[in-house]
Amino acid sequence: MQFLQSLPIPLQTILLLLASNVFMTFAWYGHLKNLSTSPWYIAAMISWGIALFEYLLQVPANRIGATTMSLGQLKILQEVITLTVFVPFAVFYMGQPLKLDYLWAGLCMVGAVFFIFRSA
């Protein structure tokens, strides 16, 4: 944790949100591959367990980030990171085809980043 605190606040926020999003993505979608034959409530309980680790990273990330970023900036940052984590997860872990639509969605996110951070 000492190493993380020595980094600039935006980088601390980004790294924590990246890690939190890995847990979030597995909690939200991993059960579709790993627990597809299990009852939904088993998948929900396991997903909640995984989501705990997401929140243990996401809450400090947002608290740290809120010291230098607005709420809107934190939200857009979160969405960009979510897409950045989701695409490799979908392609490499879930075996989904890489689609051009991911590129278009990413370009839309670049626009969102531009508009939310341009007055910072």
Side-chain angles (χ1 to χ4, degrees):
M1 194 68 165
Q2 190 72 17
F3 167 74
L4 189 63
Q5 292 175 342
S6 69
L7 298 174
I9 287 176
L11 187 55
Q12 289 179 43
T13 303
I14 289 168
L15 291 174
L16 286 168
L17 287 175
L18 272 169
S20 119
N21 264 274
V22 171
F23 285 107
M24 178 193 76
T25 302
F26 274 94
W28 283 25
Y29 304 108
H31 63 87
L32 296 174
K33 179 177 181 178
N34 300 320
L35 300 169
S36 61
T37 59
S38 298
W40 72 266
Y41 53 86
I42 299 294
M45 296 299 281
I46 291 171
S47 291
W48 282 348
I50 296 169
L52 170 65
F53 295 101
E54 178 222 340
Y55 277 89
L56 291 174
L57 296 167
Q58 176 267 334
V59 170
N62 283 328
R63 286 180 173 225
I64 291 166
T67 64
T68 61
M69 289 181 252
S70 71
L71 188 61
Q73 289 170 332
L74 280 171
K75 181 60 182 167
I76 294 301
L77 182 61
Q78 169 68 31
E79 295 302 328
V80 169
I81 290 170
T82 296
L83 188 60
T84 302
V85 170
F86 178 77
V87 171
F89 172 85
V91 172
F92 296 114
Y93 187 76
M94 297 296 288
Q96 298 292 307
L98 183 60
K99 296 181 178 184
L100 197 54
D101 289 343
Y102 293 140
L103 172 66
W104 303 134
L107 289 174
C108 289
M109 295 306 294
V110 168
V113 168
F114 171 77
F115 286 112
I116 203 73
F117 282 95
R118 72 179 170 162
S119 62

